[in-house]
RNA sequence: GUCUACGUAGCUCAGUUGGAUAGAGCAUGCGCCUUCUAAGCGCACGGUCGGGGGUUCGAAUCCCUCCGUGGACGCCA
């Protein structure tokens, strides 16, 4: 919501009270920009909404509201269609946005709708057993953008990565790494059946060979295993951090599963669930009565061989998040984990926490498409396309933009053929080009200042651009609330389109009209600031030259 | 089979507390550079919003049902 919409809402609310002697909440009043420009600058549908309650024809209600309306920013108001009120604003009011943007600069778009609520956003959290693939890339781009947007909206955001450094998969990693290491010395050694066949494990084996030579070829197997286990985690994590860094994704907290075991927090969960009477023994295993908390069946906590299922440390982990005092926990999970939500919430509730504080956003699958055909990725052959390769091939900006422009719940096809082209088919170039074009014009002048008046900005394209710049803070707020960075992408595309359209219609620097030039330059700078701030929210560079 | 998402133009997709004639990009066709970046702009073409029923002043949006697609249904993580 921007300033003008707030003003309009309040004006409508006052008119409503005056005309009908009834109070209406400003939150119930919807102000929107009509698709059709001939319907004015803003429209309100409150007359139709309240037709039932007031037992009157919507057009009659609208008429009474218009008569009661008292707002200096409104030039005039028309009643249209079934009962819409179409507002046309004073042009000077609309033009004010230029000075607002120039004064705010990098802060334009920021808002305090988050009210300093403490939010934990956990994303990626890929096991340190391989390279990041397309699904992780989508999660990384999305989670990072959501964090940026929420931060800009006044939330207190903590970005977190949960490292599964304790489960079976780490055992398998150690064995895989050991085998690759021995292979480096020409020793025939099979990887385990479900081993990790990726290039990354081979590279790590090489690095270990580089540093330690053949010291672990004839080493005692137990000692060697411990060594490869520890080194594997460390080197895999180092690589993950480097790749994410390249992708402009950074975390505030890296949580370790192993440390939860070592500190006794995992054990404590089991004890507490037992003490509360939410567990029972059956077939030699210990079960959690999760069906009592909305799950469709009960879950095993401790297997008959005495080891824990993944659920136990996961509960312990989420409890630590509660202990750290977050108001909201946001998790980004792959679609293959969506069935896991009810049992996690059940566990939190059983542990005495409010499960509604946990909100899980599901990332739909990404398919890799090349030459019109799906590329099947095989864990066995390790042929999956990695995040790093993707960034090197098409650039970080394009990859980030690609993953964030679509809603999270759509199945996404990543078209490699298209991405490889590195051409203007990619929407990110369209927005970056707009920014570069603006920079090119601004380079021709020494300084752009706020103007005493913007009355010469009268072209329809200028007004359209102005109006849309004015929308930005509302878009950011909306994107934060719905955790939908794609809304920002849509905004960027439209803002760029309005700019390009304006550019073609109006010559910015007009030597014959200094005053008009100054006003247009100010509009241009406001556009540049808005565009740059919007791109920053999704971690994309605002290019100065192309 | 059960659960859970999704289905909008030839293709990829916007469209959120239900609003006015359903929108972009790509592709196709036609225009626009002696003028600030043509990676651009303008115009045209393109639709049973998966099918059917319901709710109401009004439905792509909400409800039911059917069809199709993905995913999940483990003492794996």
């Amino acid at each position: 919501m921007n300033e003008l919409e707030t003003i309009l809402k309040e004006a409508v609310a006052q008119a409503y009270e005056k005309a009908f002697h009834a109070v209406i909440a400003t939150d119930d009043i919807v102000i929107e920009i009509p698709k059709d420009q001939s319907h004015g600058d803003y429209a309100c549908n409150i007359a139709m909404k309240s037709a039932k309650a007031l037992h009157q024809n919507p057009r009659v209600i609208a008429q009474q509201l218009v008569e009661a309306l008292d707002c200096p920013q409104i030039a005039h108001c028309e009643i249209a269609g079934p009962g819409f009120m179409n507002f046309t604003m004073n042009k000077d009011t609309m033009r004010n946005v230029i000075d607002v943007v120039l004064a705010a600069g990098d802060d334009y778009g920021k808002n305090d709708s988050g009210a300093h609520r403490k939010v934990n956003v956990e994303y990626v959290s890929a096991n340190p057993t391989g390279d990041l693939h397309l699904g992780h890339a989508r999660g990384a781009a999305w989670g990072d953008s959501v964090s940026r947007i929420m931060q800009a909206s006044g939330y207190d955001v903590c970005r977190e990565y949960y490292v599964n450094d304790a489960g079976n998969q780490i055992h398998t990693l150690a064995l895989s790494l050991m085998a690759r290491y021995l292979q480096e010395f020409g020793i025939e050694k099979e990887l385990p059946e479900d081993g990790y066949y990726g290039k990354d494990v081979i590279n790590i084996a090489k690095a270990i060979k580089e540093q330690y030579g053949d010291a672990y070829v004839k080493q005692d197997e137990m000692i060697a295993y411990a060594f490869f286990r520890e080194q594997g985690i460390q080197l895999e994590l180092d690589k993950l951090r480097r790749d994410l860094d390249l992708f402009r994704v950074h975390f505030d907290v890296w949580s370790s599963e192993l440390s939860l075991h070592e500190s006794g927090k995992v054990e404590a969960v089991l004890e507490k669930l037992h003490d509360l009477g939410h567990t029972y023994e059956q077939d030699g295993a210990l079960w959690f009565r999760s069906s009592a908390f909305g799950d469709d069946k009960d879950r095993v906590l401790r297997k008959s061989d005495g080891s824990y299922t993944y659920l136990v440390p996961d509960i312990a982990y989420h409890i630590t998040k509660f202990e750290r005092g977050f108001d909201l926990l946001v998790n980004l999970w792959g679609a293959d984990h969506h069935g896991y939500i009810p049992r996690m919430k059940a566990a939190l509730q059983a542990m005495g926490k409010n499960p509604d504080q946990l909100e899980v956003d599901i990332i739909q699958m990404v398919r890799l498409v090349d030459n019109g055909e799906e590329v099947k990725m095989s864990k066995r052959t390790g042929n999956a396309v990695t995040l790093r390769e993707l960034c090197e091939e098409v650039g970080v900006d394009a990859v980030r933009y690609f993953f964030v422009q679509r809603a999270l719940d759509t199945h996404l096809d990543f078209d490699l053929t298209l991405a490889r082209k590195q051409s203007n088919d990619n929407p990110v170039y369209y927005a970056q080009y707009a920014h570069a074009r603006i920079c090119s014009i601004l380079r021709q002048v020494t300084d752009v200042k706020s103007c005493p008046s913007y009355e010469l900005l009268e072209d329809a394209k200028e007004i359209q651009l102005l109006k849309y710049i004015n929308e930005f803070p509302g878009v950011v707020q909306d994107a934060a609330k719905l955790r939908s960075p794609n809304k920002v992408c849509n905004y960027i595309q439209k803002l760029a389109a309005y700019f390009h359209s304006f550019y073609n219609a109006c010559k910015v620097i007009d030597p014959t009209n200094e005053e008009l030039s100054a006003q247009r330059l100010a509009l241009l700078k406001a556009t540049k600031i808005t565009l740059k701030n919007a791109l920053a929210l999704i971690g994309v560079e605002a290019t100065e030259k192309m």
Side-chain angles (χ1 to χ4, degrees), chain A residues 134 137-138 141-142 366 390 399-405 412 414:
Chain A
L134 289 177
R138 189 179 192 182
W142 190 271
V366 179
L390 213 54
V399 177
R400 286 197 62 130
Y401 199 94
F402 199 102
F403 279 124
V404 149
Q405 71 173 333
L412 186 65
F414 197 104

Side-chain angles (χ1 to χ4, degrees), chain A residues 8 213 234 246 373 465 491:
Chain A
L8 282 173
Q234 209 48 55
L246 175 80
E373 277 183 38
L465 186 55
Y491 180 82

Side-chain angles (χ1 to χ4, degrees), chain A residues 175-374:
Chain A
L175 295 180
S176 303
L177 182 55
M178 197 158 17
R180 289 299 195 199
Y181 173 78
L182 293 175
Q183 286 172 7
E184 285 295 312
F185 294 94
I187 298 165
E188 287 275 331
K189 179 80 179 176
E190 289 277 313
L191 269 70
E193 182 70 24
D194 56 349
Y196 296 108
Y197 291 81
K199 293 184 281 278
D200 57 304
V201 177
I202 298 174
N203 290 336
I204 289 173
K206 285 191 166 129
I208 292 175
K209 179 189 178 189
E210 193 78 14
Q211 195 177 345
Y212 297 91
D214 61 358
Y216 288 89
V217 173
K218 290 191 173 137
Q219 180 61 269
D220 171 79
E221 207 160 323
M222 291 298 283
I223 294 172
Y225 171 82
F227 171 79
F228 284 109
R229 187 176 168 114
E230 198 270 325
Q231 286 287 307
I233 294 170
Q234 209 48 55
L235 296 175
E236 284 283 359
L237 271 177
D238 287 348
K239 184 209 62 199
L240 284 176
R241 265 188 249 257
R242 278 199 305 275
D243 288 356
L244 287 166
D245 196 55
L246 175 80
F247 201 45
R248 300 180 199 138
V249 173
H250 311 278
F251 291 90
D252 302 308
V253 175
W254 293 73
S255 280
S256 149
E257 177 189 350
L258 195 58
S259 72
L260 294 171
H261 287 274
E262 289 169 351
S263 66
K265 290 191 169 165
V266 175
E267 193 70 33
V269 165
L270 224 48
E271 276 171 31
K272 181 155 186 189
L273 285 176
H274 172 77
D275 291 347
L276 291 168
H278 301 315
T279 64
Y280 61 91
E281 300 251 3
Q282 191 183 308
D283 305 327
L286 184 73
W287 294 71
F288 167 41
R289 212 182 298 278
S290 56
S291 57
F293 300 94
D295 199 3
D296 32 318
K297 52 183 154 186
D298 294 343
R299 308 290 171 179
V300 170
L301 296 172
R302 194 182 57 224
K303 298 179 249 177
S304 49
D305 68 1
S307 65
Y308 297 153
T309 62
Y310 58 95
L311 184 58
V312 190
D314 260 18
I315 297 169
Y317 171 50
H318 281 86
I319 294 297
T320 69
K321 289 193 196 173
F322 276 92
E323 286 166 355
R324 282 181 278 155
F326 293 105
D327 299 304
L328 176 65
L329 306 178
V330 176
N331 283 4
L332 243 54
W333 285 352
D336 53 340
H337 283 66
H338 88 264
Y340 186 50
I341 299 172
R343 79 189 70 163
M344 191 68 234
K345 292 207 173 216
L348 291 176
Q349 197 181 343
M351 292 289 287
K353 305 296 179 192
N354 177 6
D356 293 337
Q357 273 175 265
L358 173 69
E359 292 189 21
V360 182
D361 293 338
I362 291 300
I363 309 167
Q364 276 303 332
M365 295 290 170
V366 179
R367 287 197 320 160
L368 190 62
V369 176
D370 202 0
N371 294 319
E373 277 183 38
E374 181 179 359

